[in-house]
């Protein structure tokens, strides 16, 4: 057997180089390792887009910073934001560089982020490290220097919460989803908490499995409302940011496991997940249809989407690699029509 010496008849041991000895085991393990590496390399090659080396297994969200010419990525257990700059050849291996590392959230996790271009800042949602579910906050940081503009605490005393994604409206108000509490926190442009949107409409189905992961991805629509997805239920909602009024977007097709959102245009929405989906509406998001599907690398899970030069890029939450640096992928999504 591998990892030891096998007894022969008569009591002698198998030796190196003989079946059952270390010499037989090592080449077999090497062949398996090479085969596994080749399989992963092949799967990685199917992604297209941008591959880069980063610290840690998990990178939850990535957004394109057009003015800075870079992707900004939340580093999850790193509790910060890194930049990934893209050269002429997108497929070449790149390395991330940390640009936001707030000491007041050390030991937490960094999740959703959004680039608030008019105010030249990046907004980041923070939560406790699972399995703790208490702390929730949103931070705002200068896009060029990484200097903190505010850090707003969101959770209430004794409250279980998990801040996940973030959006900003035309006036600079900030909205953060809570996947545990099925609610949306609203914060003013200077970081002062304003209100909390709770509504029974957010829970469309009974049972644990359809509510395990609640309100998740969120975007602000230029027509003046929020669009938010419920991951486990697969429901899409339209929310009035002034009153908190909620309506269900009647979607033809499934959005179950939907995660991060990105508006491609006022009538088109990318929903990251496994698979990622293209959703379209012709009536100002009263109704919508799933019109496209992108599976991506079969060994990776899409968690957020962003648009760069008209193309949709899907961030995959789990990296791969044996060393401290993991390979992360921002795959260029080509949606197959449905």
């Amino acid at each position: 057997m591998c990892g030891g010496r096998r007894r022969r008849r008569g009591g002698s041991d198998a030796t190196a180089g003989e079946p059952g000895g270390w010499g037989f085991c090592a080449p077999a393990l090497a062949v398996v390792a090479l085969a596994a590496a080749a399989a992963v390399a092949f799967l990685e090659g199917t992604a297209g887009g941008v591959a880069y080396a980063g610290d840690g297994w998990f990178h939850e969200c990535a957004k394109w910073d057009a003015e800075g010419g870079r992707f900004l990525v939340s580093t999850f257990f790193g509790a910060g934001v890194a930049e990934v700059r893209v050269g002429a050849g997108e497929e070449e291996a790149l390395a991330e560089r940390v640009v936001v590392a707030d000491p007041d959230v050390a030991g937490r996790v960094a999740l959703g982020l959004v680039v608030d271009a008019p105010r030249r800042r990046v907004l980041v949602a923070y939560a406790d490290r699972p399995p703790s579910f208490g702390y929730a906050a949103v931070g705002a940081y200068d896009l060029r220097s990484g200097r903190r503009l505010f850090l707003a605490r969101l959770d209430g005393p004794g409250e279980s919460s998990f801040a996940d994604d973030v959006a900003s409206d035309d006036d600079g108000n900030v909205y953060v989803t809570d996947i545990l509490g099925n609610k949306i926190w609203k914060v003013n442009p200077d970081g002062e908490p304003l209100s909390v949107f709770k509504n029974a409409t957010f829970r469309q189905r009974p049972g644990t499995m359809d509510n395990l992961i609640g309100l998740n991805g969120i975007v602000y629509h230029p027509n003046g409302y929020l669009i938010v997805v419920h991951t486990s239920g697969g429901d899409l909602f339209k929310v009035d940011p002034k009153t908190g009024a909620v309506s269900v977007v009647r979607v033809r097709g499934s959005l179950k496991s939907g995660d991060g959102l990105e508006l491609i245009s006022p009538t088109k929405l990318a929903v990251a997940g496994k698979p990622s989906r293209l959703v379209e509406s012709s009536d100002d998001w009263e109704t919508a249809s799933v019109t496209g599907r992108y599976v991506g690398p079969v060994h990776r899970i899409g968690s957020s989407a962003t648009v760069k030069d008209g193309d949709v890029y899907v961030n995959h939450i789990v990296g791969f690699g044996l060393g401290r640096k993991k390979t992360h992928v921002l795959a260029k999504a080509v949606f197959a029509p449905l």
Side-chain angles (χ1 to χ4, degrees):
M1 55 181 285
C2 288
R5 296 164 69 90
R6 188 176 64 190
R7 299 289 295 179
R8 283 181 175 173
R9 291 180 182 176
S12 61
D13 291 330
T15 58
E18 297 179 324
W22 285 104
F24 175 78
C25 186
L29 290 175
V31 169
V32 171
L34 286 172
V40 171
F42 172 77
L43 291 170
E44 294 289 85
T46 65
V50 178
Y52 66 96
D55 289 329
W57 287 103
F58 300 106
H59 283 185
E60 211 273 343
C61 185
K63 294 294 181 181
W64 177 246
D65 170 20
E67 183 178 324
R70 59 187 179 166
F71 290 99
L72 294 176
V73 184
S74 61
T75 58
F76 203 76
F77 287 126
V81 177
E83 68 171 14
V84 178
R85 294 196 173 272
V86 181
E90 286 189 345
E91 287 77 15
E92 62 185 276
L94 305 168
E96 68 180 20
R97 184 178 75 89
V98 174
V99 293
V100 173
D102 191 332
D104 288 335
V105 293
R108 314 292 185 181
V109 293
L111 293 127
L113 64 81
V114 67
V115 175
D116 183 5
R119 280 155 285 276
R120 294 188 172 182
R121 62 184 185 175
V122 59
L123 303 165
V124 188
Y126 296 106
D128 260 337
R129 290 190 177 207
S132 296
F133 298 104
Y135 182 91
V138 61
Y141 305 88
D142 183 86
L143 265 180
R144 302 282 74 84
S145 67
R147 177 179 61 89
R148 188 170 82 192
L149 305 175
F150 68 74
L151 180 64
R153 187 76 180 263
L154 303 173
D155 56 291
E159 182 179 52
S160 292
S161 59
F162 196 79
D164 189 85
D165 205 1
V166 58
S168 178
D169 66 20
D170 289 338
D171 297 324
N173 296 304
V174 181
Y175 305 87
V176 180
T177 55
D178 176 9
I179 64 173
L180 286 186
N182 269 339
K183 62 180 180 289
I184 300 171
W185 290 286
K186 181 177 180 179
V187 176
N188 78 6
D190 298 318
E192 295 296 324
L194 293 177
S195 56
V196 181
F197 299 153
K198 296 181 180 180
N199 196 302
T201 305
F202 287 141
R203 188 182 175 102
Q204 286 290 298
R205 294 168 176 79
T208 301
M209 294 310 297
D210 280 331
N211 292 280
L212 193 62
I213 302 175
L215 296 186
N216 196 331
I218 186 170
V219 291
Y220 178 75
H221 193 281
N223 288 351
Y225 50 84
L226 301 165
I227 299 175
V228 59
V229 68
H230 188 292
T231 295
S232 293
D235 300 296
L236 199 65
F237 301 102
K238 186 176 177 179
V239 182
D240 186 323
K242 294 182 173 62
T243 66
V246 179
S247 60
V248 180
V249 180
R250 298 186 301 280
V251 179
R252 183 174 61 85
S254 174
L255 291 181
K256 275 187 176 290
S257 81
D259 197 337
L261 305 181
E262 180 78 357
L263 272 177
I264 303 169
S265 74
T267 61
K268 293 183 179 181
L269 178 73
V271 182
K274 193 68 174 177
S276 296
R277 280 146 287 194
L278 177 65
V279 186
E280 299 187 52
S281 174
S282 59
D283 57 5
D284 203 29
W285 297 95
E286 295 298 316
T287 65
S289 298
V290 178
T291 59
R293 184 173 181 264
Y294 171 70
V295 175
V298 297
H299 63 305
R300 291 182 178 267
I301 301 171
S303 58
S304 71
T306 190
V307 174
K308 171 185 176 292
D309 300 330
D311 294 317
V312 176
Y313 288 77
V314 175
N315 174 72
H316 294 80
I317 188 169
V318 182
F320 280 81
L322 298 177
R324 185 175 64 86
K325 295 284 187 181
K326 311 300 179 187
T327 299
H328 294 269
V329 170
L330 297 165
K332 186 183 291 187
V334 178
F335 292 96
L338 295 176

